[in-house]
Amino acid sequence: MALARYHSKRNFKATPEPKGRVGKPGKLPIFVIQKHSARALHYDFRLQIGGVLKSWAVPKGPSKNPSVRRLAMMTEDHPVAYAKFAGTIPKGNYGAGKVEIWDHGAFRPLKKAKFNSRDVSSGQLEFELKGKKLSGNWVLFSIGKDKKAWLLKKMK
Ligand code: MN
């Protein structure tokens, strides 16, 4: 159950977030970055891989400067429908606070036709973003053995 963690953290009678389900991998996979004004402001970076949105919380948000690496903590998979979610998660709920769509668009893996969950476990993802704010080539790579902590940076 790829979304079991997502569902277990939320009470869908109390939060406007989508319940969602695992979808088909998209032909043109999408990315979204949601500015999340929770207890601590962060940017949720999500890539559509294998029918879900693989997700990282980036406390400082992405930097367009290729020499700046930004910490990206992997979080639970989200349903693809979450890419369209903007709104306020009410107090008392997981992630309470405002969610805004900061950027969105398509992405393209650089070295293969599409990513699967094994690419995520490999701890290295290189892709082109085709968003409104962000474009060009980016890399996400894990820095710990447990693949929780990653770094996000723009490629030179
Ligand atoms: Mn968040």
Side-chain angles (χ1 to χ4, degrees):
M1 275 291 287
L3 294 172
R5 268 186 77 207
Y6 175 84
H7 288 141
S8 72
K9 284 168 181 277
R10 290 168 176 83
N11 172 7
F12 293 98
K13 291 192 176 106
T15 176
E17 295 167 288
K19 199 155 183 239
R21 35 158 49 186
V22 177
K24 294 195 191 106
K27 235 187 183 171
L28 201 68
I30 55 138
F31 82 95
V32 65
I33 300 171
Q34 282 151 322
K35 182 179 176 183
H36 188 180
S37 308
R39 225 167 2 178
L41 172 71
H42 60 272
Y43 294 77
D44 287 302
F45 184 85
R46 311 190 198 278
L47 295 174
Q48 182 182 8
I49 297 175
V52 296
L53 296 175
K54 290 286 169 184
S55 298
W56 292 260
V58 184
K60 291 185 176 173
S63 170
K64 292 180 190 171
N65 179 345
S67 55
V68 174
R69 304 157 160 201
R70 288 284 160 82
L71 179 68
M73 296 302 290
M74 194 168 232
T75 59
E76 77 275 18
D77 296 346
H78 279 52
V80 174
Y82 207 93
K84 297 217 162 102
F85 176 72
T88 299
I89 302 168
K91 269 187 194 146
N93 289 273
Y94 176 68
K98 197 169 148 199
V99 176
E100 299 160 82
I101 297 175
W102 186 82
D103 198 12
H104 67 100
F107 79 90
R108 184 179 65 83
L110 291 187
K111 290 178 178 163
K112 56 188 301 188
K114 63 166 135 176
F115 289 142
N116 55 40
S117 53
R118 249 174 299 149
D119 297 311
V120 179
S121 335
S122 82
Q124 173 97 4
L125 299 168
E126 295 177 12
F127 48 86
E128 179 189 2
L129 294 181
K130 300 172 182 190
K132 301 211 164 64
K133 291 193 172 90
L134 301 185
S135 57
N137 295 347
W138 295 73
V139 59
L140 259 172
F141 55 97
S142 66
I143 51 173
K145 282 206 184 93
D146 61 357
K147 305 259 159 49
K148 273 222 57 144
W150 296 56
L151 294 174
L152 171 68
K153 77 181 269 307
K154 188 159 191 197
M155 292 165 83
K156 285 191 177 112

